[in-house]
Amino acid sequence: MTDTLRFTITFHTPFRVATGQAGNGADSTVDRVVPLPASSIKGLMRSAGCDLLRLPDNRIDQVYGAGHQPSPWSWSDATIIDPADWQRDRVRRRARVRIDPDTATVADGALAIAEEILVRAATFEITRTGWLPAPQRDQHRQVLVGCARAVTAVGGDRRRGLGWVSVTPAADTGGDDPAQLAQALLAMRTADGYAGAGEGR
């Protein structure tokens, strides 16, 4: 197994990772150079491990880092697979409004124009940058692949239908058997005395 894990993100809807700045006639813009940065991918994967897979805190911290304990893994920014997606100018604008129930018109200050990106697929990599003993390295790889598979949406306005995705590992990354992967992650919870403890999380 390689110490670089490779993944493909398939986009089912447009997505938006806002820059926090206005411009180009929009109240919220996207980064045309790095539309989906490494920090966003890492944060989404960590959240999936905590909230969806309910992995123990110590496992999450070992893989993703915590406090003065850095992660032994490094994430890359997402790379759009087909450059033609950019040539077709896949950045577009969407209006978001809130209707005043009393007047049935747009509420004052509730109209926003935000950019979003529509592409088909992107790739990213996670590379081991710190030393790990072999058994722990395999467990980390299982956590990373499981967390990546658990990500179903990226960017902002996910509850409004943006950013729906599927994340799949490359053949050389492993984790292509979801049943075996699920069993391995469940075993980690059980080994840490965590099975069923996530109900109060």
Side-chain angles (χ1 to χ4, degrees), residues 1-3 73 128 130-144:
M1 286 288 187
T2 178
D3 280 338
W73 302 89
R128 185 171 65 84
W131 181 85
L132 289 170
Q136 191 175 8
R137 187 167 62 244
D138 292 339
Q139 290 177 347
H140 278 219
R141 184 181 294 110
Q142 290 170 336
V143 169
L144 290 168

Side-chain angles (χ1 to χ4, degrees), residues 52-76:
L52 297 178
L53 302 181
R54 294 185 298 168
L55 295 173
D57 290 342
N58 66 317
R59 294 277 184 176
I60 293 294
D61 291 346
Q62 289 169 6
V63 174
Y64 292 93
H68 297 293
Q69 173 188 337
S71 171
W73 302 89
S74 177
W75 277 252
S76 75

Side-chain angles (χ1 to χ4, degrees), residues 47-57 60 189 194 196-201:
S47 177
C50 293
D51 301 332
L52 297 178
L53 302 181
R54 294 185 298 168
L55 295 173
D57 290 342
I60 293 294
R189 292 173 57 183
Y194 190 74
E199 302 304 325
R201 200 181 181 99

